[in-house]
Amino acid sequence: QQQVKQSPQSLIVQKGGIPIINCAYENTAFDYFPWYQQFPGKGPALLIAIRPDVSEKKEGRFTISFNKSAKQFSLHIMDSQPGDSATYFCAASMKSGGSNYKLTFGKGTLLTVNP
Amino acid sequence: DTAVSQTPKYLVTQMGNDKSIKCEQNLGHDTMYWYKQDSKKFLKIMFSYNNKELIINETVPNRFSPKSPDKAHLNLHINSLELGDSAVYFCASSQLLRDSYTFGSGTRLTVV
């Protein structure tokens, strides 16, 4: 059972475009929602994250929008650049065993930004 | 200096062999993880250790055995390797704060 559903699977935009990646979850026990960026041959790296008491968070050109009632969140990349071409993963975290947290990932979106 | 380092980066081995992947973190984190990334890029947690204690053990074949000699190291030993074990294995670490996951660069395991 996939707990975090991510779409689209792949996305191609032109430089300067605004790609949007969407995620949805079912388990209301999730209480932290990070996005990770992965370049080929590298491990995922934390990009930006949001907690459910906030509807939007911006860091540079990256924005997360969060809709708690719909159990959905999305990543927007403003003024996208070819260097943003990577695989993006949404994730959701909840407590698992004492004070530890378990991170569950979406299936990833391969973003290509053409020059 | 690399924060989470894994060795080896590539591992090619025959079916039936036993192999180990090593992971070390120099971030002072308390918790370490192993994730498996399949050919479709799906990342799935396998194990989590907090201060050398096993916290999370997902449905993973018992041919996979994690070992944590201290809180800075988490190794993964795999017995009787199968073709389906081919994947990229990522080690990660975090503090109790969940927004500090740091991943290693991965170990690409190919079983032939």
Side-chain angles (χ1 to χ4, degrees):
Chain A
Q1 181 186 1
Q2 187 186 348
Q3 294 200 52
V4 180
K5 294 184 179 180
Q6 182 172 348
S7 63
Q9 191 173 356
S10 62
L11 186 54
I12 301 173
V13 300
Q14 292 299 119
K15 178 182 173 182
I18 306 175
I20 300 172
I21 304 170
N22 300 299
C23 285
Y25 63 98
E26 288 296 325
N27 194 334
T28 55
F30 288 130
D31 61 356
Y32 174 71
F33 302 89
W35 285 87
Y36 282 78
Q37 180 188 54
Q38 185 180 25
F39 293 105
K42 301 293 184 184
L46 179 64
L47 189 62
I48 185 173
I50 197 167
R51 301 191 190 279
D53 53 347
V54 175
S55 61
E56 185 176 279
K57 184 173 181 180
K58 284 186 181 180
E59 285 186 6
R61 296 183 293 107
F62 300 92
T63 299
I64 300 178
S65 298
F66 189 86
N67 186 330
K68 187 174 181 178
S69 60
K71 291 186 282 187
Q72 295 174 348
F73 58 110
S74 59
L75 177 71
H76 300 229
I77 306 175
M78 309 301 288
D79 186 28
S80 59
Q81 302 295 314
D84 296 330
S85 297
T87 300
Y88 291 81
F89 293 93
C90 63
S93 175
M94 66 169 138
K95 257 190 180 180
S96 175
S99 56
N100 295 291
Y101 294 87
K102 176 179 159 182
L103 200 59
T104 301
F105 285 87
K107 289 195 170 184
T109 297
L110 178 60
L111 171 66
T112 303
V113 181
N114 288 327
Chain B
D1 281 348
T2 304
V4 179
S5 59
Q6 296 178 227
T7 55
K9 190 167 175 65
Y10 300 96
L11 186 53
V12 181
T13 188
Q14 290 187 327
M15 282 177 55
N17 283 352
D18 303 338
K19 290 293 178 185
S20 293
I21 306 172
K22 295 185 176 182
C23 179
E24 176 182 3
Q25 55 96 2
N26 61 6
L27 298 166
H29 288 167
D30 294 315
T31 308
M32 295 185 73
Y33 312 82
W34 279 110
Y35 276 81
K36 179 180 179 180
Q37 186 171 50
D38 62 23
S39 59
K40 295 184 178 180
K41 297 279 194 180
F42 184 48
L43 276 161
K44 191 175 184 335
I45 190 169
M46 301 173 68
F47 302 103
S48 169
Y49 268 75
N50 180 265
N51 208 7
K52 301 194 296 175
E53 180 185 350
L54 182 64
I55 298 298
I56 296 173
N57 184 349
E58 293 292 294
T59 307
V60 176
N62 57 17
R63 299 181 293 103
F64 290 79
S65 54
K67 285 187 172 52
S68 181
D70 56 61
K71 75 173 193 176
H73 295 83
L74 180 61
N75 304 322
L76 183 66
H77 188 76
I78 315 170
N79 290 326
S80 304
L81 278 155
E82 300 177 357
L83 292 176
D85 298 332
S86 296
V88 181
Y89 292 84
F90 286 100
C91 177
S93 72
S94 73
Q95 282 287 27
L96 292 179
L97 294 172
R98 45 236 155 126
D99 58 357
S100 58
Y101 269 68
T102 303
F103 283 83
S105 295
T107 296
R108 181 174 293 277
L109 171 66
T110 304
V111 183
V112 298

